[in-house]
Amino acid sequence: MSKIPSEVIDDIRERTNIVEVVGQYVQLKKSGRNYSGLCPFHSEKTPSFTVAEDKQIFHCFGCGKGGNVFRFVQEIEGLSFAESVVKIADLEQIELDVHYRDQAQTSTNTQHSPLYALHEKAAQFYHHILVNTAVGQEALTYLYNRGMTDELIEEFQIGFAPPQREFLERIFEKEAYDKTTYIESGLFIERDDGSLLDRFYQRIMFPIRNGNKKTIAFSGRWFELSDEKSEQAKYLNSPETPIFNKRNVLFNLDKAKAEIRKQGTVYLFEGFMDVIAAFRAGLTSGVASMGTSLTSQQIQRLEQLATNLVFCYDGDRAGQEATARGLDLLQEHSRLHLSVVQLGNGIDPDEFIQQHGAKAFLQLVEHEQQTPFSFTADFLAKQYNLKNEKERVAYLEIVLKELAKVNSLIEQDQYLTQLAEKFDLQRATLEKQVQMYQKEVQPIQFQTKPVNVPLRQQKKTLAQRVQELLLYRMMHESSYRTKFKQTTGVFLNEQYQTLYVLLDTYCATQEEFEVARFLDFLQEEELRTLVLNIVAQNVSQEGSDLEFQELMKQLELARITHEIQEKTLAQKRATQLGNNEQEIALAMEIIALTKQLKQIQVSH
């Protein structure tokens, strides 16, 4: 927990409407008393994400995530609790003492702070070498020739790692970190004799930042200082470390996310230079993956920010193949609306901007996007000799199979007409073929991974429903807590009992119960989830003495039934072991409990 006082946290939460905050990240629609939308934390096509304005909480019945407004911002922005408090204060324009801001900053990721410090200092060192020394002059000239400006180099903190490999350790001398920390940072390679070498040398350096704008890694582009060709890899990325996992990171997302969220569109590039060139041209919502195909983690992060994704990969064969793979992946596993920008002539976005200018590039990416099917049809056409009758038929069959996957009837109609005209075929014939492929595809829907059953659809036992209703009443009516104490009753389930004790402790210090505040009080995620499920129950507004008595009766019945089941199992074990004395004793106890069970059932 942060050191920000609880009264300050409570004040910010009470002055904030969770619907307005969540609405900046999720498209919400009014649904009865609540608001609903597609969950930003997992892929879904049917909304299971709910925001309750009266309770000031959110809850997804699909993936189980939920909490108050601070929890939402923590999850979606990857912040600490203290940082989420500061973020909400800024969003709501609530004044917050600079002292609390400093505390939030220093309390974040203290476990890994040496690694952040080393990366920040390395970034400053590389940048200084590039812009202020003779060693970096050739690399700086190269960047200028590629269209870079001093402002862009400063904006992205681009640097240069010198050819010598013993600089960083001397730069870090005053940091007083041990050798283990240096090795853990990924900035060094340990030699056989135990000495350290800089991992990056003779490379133009691109800092990689996380969502909090902290430098967590580097990507270095090899730079030839002579005419001799080296066998070095063109790009070298930092290895994975405690603060860097390439599957989770997208280059420039820290700068681009605000514009992506505002426009609802993200542009995906292959290389860092392409992202920076697009940035220079005025397109500031571009990102790039870390030299690999998109991962599920990266896709999920983009889904939280955008509704549309535009592929803007290189125009060469490798870029086109990467686009085709990306479309296959995202069409199957994402809810993002996809499109493609074709640069043509085998050039990349950076080269296109240099040759045609920023205005032509913006015109292209904004107004000449292709649909996934249109791209696929063009991409496949290059792999067949369409003048050959056999290959032409093979091409049409595979293209029509792709068209059968298109959900839009208007889009299907348009492409059927285009294909019929292009190949001089009867449109009705092509349409019939598509319908045949659709029939083949629809019944076969393999489950690629287990699906979590929404919590609200999981079947609960009577005992669970009784205990959860009791806890619901206790949250909203103090009389239920008082009467429960007088009965010396306890909950059957350990988790319910723990929640009851914490609820009673919380209510003893508060004038009234607030779900949003109680969620901050709880430390365990499982208990928070349980609370969200309990408050989501559709029950009558108020309880009654009669309801309380019935709930306690059912609780006692469940307790005795459970005890009978336990003793029955023990009796079977005694029989297997030949312990006649214990078997008889357990039988008598079971009879007594069964008699007690029947008495309770007929009472009242």
Side-chain angles (χ1 to χ4, degrees):
M1 266 310 245
S2 127
K3 294 180 181 178
I4 301 175
S6 59
E7 58 268 22
V8 174
I9 294 170
D10 290 343
D11 178 59
I12 293 171
R13 184 181 53 245
E14 288 166 6
R15 293 169 63 183
T16 301
N17 188 328
I18 191 172
V19 173
E20 294 176 1
V21 173
V22 174
Q24 296 181 40
Y25 300 83
V26 180
Q27 188 173 357
L28 296 173
K29 293 183 179 179
K30 194 83 163 76
S31 178
R33 290 189 304 168
N34 300 327
Y35 292 80
S36 65
L38 294 172
C39 179
F41 304 115
H42 79 287
S43 293
E44 62 176 9
K45 295 185 178 178
T46 303
S48 61
F49 180 84
T50 300
V51 181
E53 189 171 22
D54 57 341
K55 299 183 179 74
Q56 288 295 299
I57 59 173
F58 75 95
H59 187 207
C60 177
F61 292 98
C63 67
K65 287 190 183 296
N68 58 24
V69 68
F70 299 133
R71 174 66 55 174
F72 178 82
V73 171
Q74 272 187 273
E75 291 283 351
I76 204 160
E77 293 283 3
L79 305 177
S80 68
F81 179 82
E83 285 177 315
S84 74
V85 173
V86 173
K87 177 81 173 179
I88 293 296
D90 290 342
L91 285 174
E92 296 299 306
Q93 297 182 332
I94 298 172
E95 287 189 17
L96 189 64
D97 194 305
V98 67
H99 179 59
Y100 301 144
R101 292 180 180 275
D102 293 341
Q103 286 180 337
Q105 186 66 34
T106 56
S107 67
T108 304
N109 297 310
T110 52
Q111 179 185 353
H112 300 311
S113 57
L115 299 182
Y116 289 114
L118 289 177
H119 278 81
E120 206 57 53
K121 193 152 191 173
Q124 293 169 5
F125 166 69
Y126 294 140
H127 183 65
H128 175 79
I129 292 293
L130 176 69
V131 300
N132 293 313
T133 71
V135 174
Q137 187 57 51
E138 283 189 56
L140 185 62
T141 301
Y142 165 80
L143 290 172
Y144 286 155
N145 292 335
R146 289 287 301 267
M148 289 280 188
T149 62
D150 290 332
E151 290 76 19
L152 274 176
I153 291 169
E154 180 69 28
E155 176 74 28
F156 288 90
Q157 282 293 290
I158 299 169
F160 182 68
Q164 297 79 12
R165 302 187 65 181
E166 297 174 344
F167 271 102
L168 280 187
E169 196 171 6
R170 279 182 280 165
I171 294 294
F172 294 155
E173 279 177 351
K174 294 182 180 179
E175 301 298 327
Y177 296 130
D178 58 29
K179 184 178 177 181
T180 304
T181 302
Y182 290 157
I183 295 172
E184 194 177 40
S185 72
L187 295 170
F188 298 92
I189 293 174
E190 186 177 19
R191 289 192 287 204
D192 292 339
D193 63 1
S195 60
L196 299 178
L197 287 175
D198 296 359
R199 178 179 295 276
F200 297 101
Y201 64 98
Q202 202 173 313
R203 290 182 181 273
I204 295 172
M205 301 296 288
F206 298 90
I208 310 299
R209 297 185 178 87
N210 63 13
N212 300 328
K213 303 186 184 298
K214 294 180 183 292
T215 302
I216 56 174
F218 292 93
S219 183
R221 186 190 190 284
W222 181 256
F223 182 70
E224 296 289 352
L225 290 172
S226 65
D227 293 333
E228 295 180 9
K229 292 294 180 183
S230 170
E231 294 182 0
Q232 292 285 340
K234 184 176 181 181
Y235 279 96
L236 176 67
N237 294 334
S238 291
E240 295 201 354
T241 69
I243 63 172
F244 172 60
N245 181 330
K246 66 181 180 181
R247 291 183 294 277
N248 296 331
V249 178
L250 288 159
F251 176 73
N252 196 49
L253 189 60
D254 60 307
K255 296 181 184 299
K257 62 182 179 181
E259 187 65 21
I260 293 171
R261 189 177 289 126
K262 179 182 175 182
Q263 300 294 337
T265 299
V266 58
Y267 293 85
L268 185 64
F269 295 90
E270 275 190 89
F272 302 159
M273 290 293 286
D274 296 326
V275 172
I276 296 170
F279 189 95
R280 182 181 78 239
L283 192 152
T284 58
S285 50
V287 300
S289 59
M290 297 297 298
T292 59
S293 299
L294 277 178
T295 65
S296 58
Q297 295 96 322
Q298 291 166 339
I299 293 169
Q300 184 175 330
R301 186 72 185 99
L302 293 176
E303 286 179 330
Q304 293 172 357
L305 299 169
T307 53
N308 307 300
L309 183 145
V310 182
F311 282 92
C312 200
Y313 282 4
D314 296 357
D316 59 12
R317 183 169 182 81
Q320 298 297 286
E321 289 176 348
T323 301
R325 289 194 302 271
L327 286 172
D328 284 343
L329 174 69
L330 287 167
Q331 282 180 300
E332 186 176 352
H333 298 294
S334 171
R335 63 169 181 255
L336 289 164
H337 300 297
L338 307 175
S339 55
V340 179
V341 169
Q342 288 273 49
L343 298 173
N345 300 322
I347 62 176
D348 60 36
D350 185 18
E351 292 168 332
F352 184 95
I353 293 169
Q354 290 185 57
Q355 292 177 20
H356 304 285
K359 187 176 180 180
F361 175 73
L362 294 177
Q363 175 71 23
L364 181 74
V365 298
E366 291 176 14
H367 302 295
E368 298 184 40
Q369 297 175 12
Q370 282 187 292
T371 65
F373 174 78
S374 177
F375 168 83
T376 302
D378 289 347
F379 177 69
L380 290 171
K382 297 171 186 174
Q383 301 173 36
Y384 291 86
N385 178 7
L386 298 182
K387 293 180 180 179
N388 177 282
E389 184 178 345
K390 183 179 178 181
E391 291 200 36
R392 188 164 62 247
V393 170
Y395 167 75
L396 280 168
E397 285 182 344
I398 194 169
V399 164
L400 291 174
K401 283 182 181 178
E402 290 297 319
L403 188 54
K405 301 174 187 176
V406 174
N407 293 323
S408 169
L409 293 177
I410 295 173
E411 196 175 336
Q412 274 193 7
D413 188 81
Q414 174 182 312
Y415 291 124
L416 281 169
T417 300
Q418 288 180 9
L419 288 169
E421 291 175 354
K422 182 176 180 179
F423 293 97
D424 194 23
L425 293 168
Q426 292 293 320
R427 189 185 181 287
T429 302
L430 298 179
E431 187 174 4
K432 193 172 182 180
Q433 188 80 358
V434 167
Q435 291 171 351
M436 185 182 74
Y437 288 141
Q438 286 175 326
K439 289 177 182 178
E440 290 177 2
V441 171
Q442 285 173 355
I444 306 172
Q445 294 181 348
F446 296 106
Q447 199 73 43
T448 56
K449 58 182 179 180
V451 176
N452 293 326
V453 178
L455 294 171
R456 63 181 172 186
Q457 295 177 10
Q458 291 177 357
K459 198 167 184 179
K460 293 179 182 176
T461 64
L462 175 61
Q464 287 176 311
R465 296 200 302 272
V466 165
Q467 291 174 97
E468 291 190 6
L469 180 53
L470 262 174
L471 285 163
Y472 179 92
R473 295 298 189 209
M474 288 179 181
M475 290 175 187
H476 298 90
E477 299 178 46
S478 60
S479 61
Y480 266 69
R481 296 194 301 275
T482 303
K483 286 185 284 190
F484 190 76
K485 291 176 189 175
Q486 293 170 349
T487 64
T488 66
V490 293
F491 286 86
L492 304 179
N493 180 287
E494 183 180 350
Q495 193 179 42
Y496 291 136
Q497 180 65 20
T498 300
L499 182 57
Y500 161 65
V501 172
L502 290 169
L503 174 64
D504 192 54
T505 303
Y506 171 83
C507 291
T509 61
Q510 304 293 325
E511 292 183 6
E512 59 180 348
F513 176 81
E514 288 183 31
V515 177
R517 183 183 295 174
F518 184 51
L519 290 170
D520 282 342
F521 176 78
L522 298 174
Q523 299 294 311
E524 295 182 25
E525 190 63 36
E526 286 186 8
L527 290 177
R528 292 193 190 103
T529 302
L530 179 58
V531 168
L532 290 165
N533 283 315
I534 289 171
V535 299
Q537 294 181 90
N538 185 18
V539 298
S540 59
Q541 291 294 315
E542 294 183 3
S544 64
D545 288 338
L546 185 62
E547 181 193 67
F548 179 79
Q549 292 169 15
E550 182 61 28
L551 289 174
M552 294 307 296
K553 174 183 174 181
Q554 293 298 329
L555 196 62
E556 182 64 7
L557 286 172
R559 184 190 65 76
I560 296 172
T561 300
H562 179 72
E563 197 171 343
I564 290 172
Q565 291 170 346
E566 290 290 307
K567 291 187 181 297
T568 300
L569 288 173
Q571 185 188 32
K572 287 180 180 179
R573 287 194 294 270
T575 302
Q576 291 168 354
L577 295 171
N579 190 336
N580 294 332
E581 185 177 341
Q582 187 181 17
E583 181 184 359
I584 293 169
L586 286 166
M588 297 300 292
E589 291 179 23
I590 291 170
I591 291 169
L593 286 168
T594 304
K595 184 178 180 181
Q596 186 180 351
L597 189 68
K598 289 180 179 178
Q599 288 174 343
I600 296 173
Q601 287 172 334
V602 299
S603 65
H604 307 292

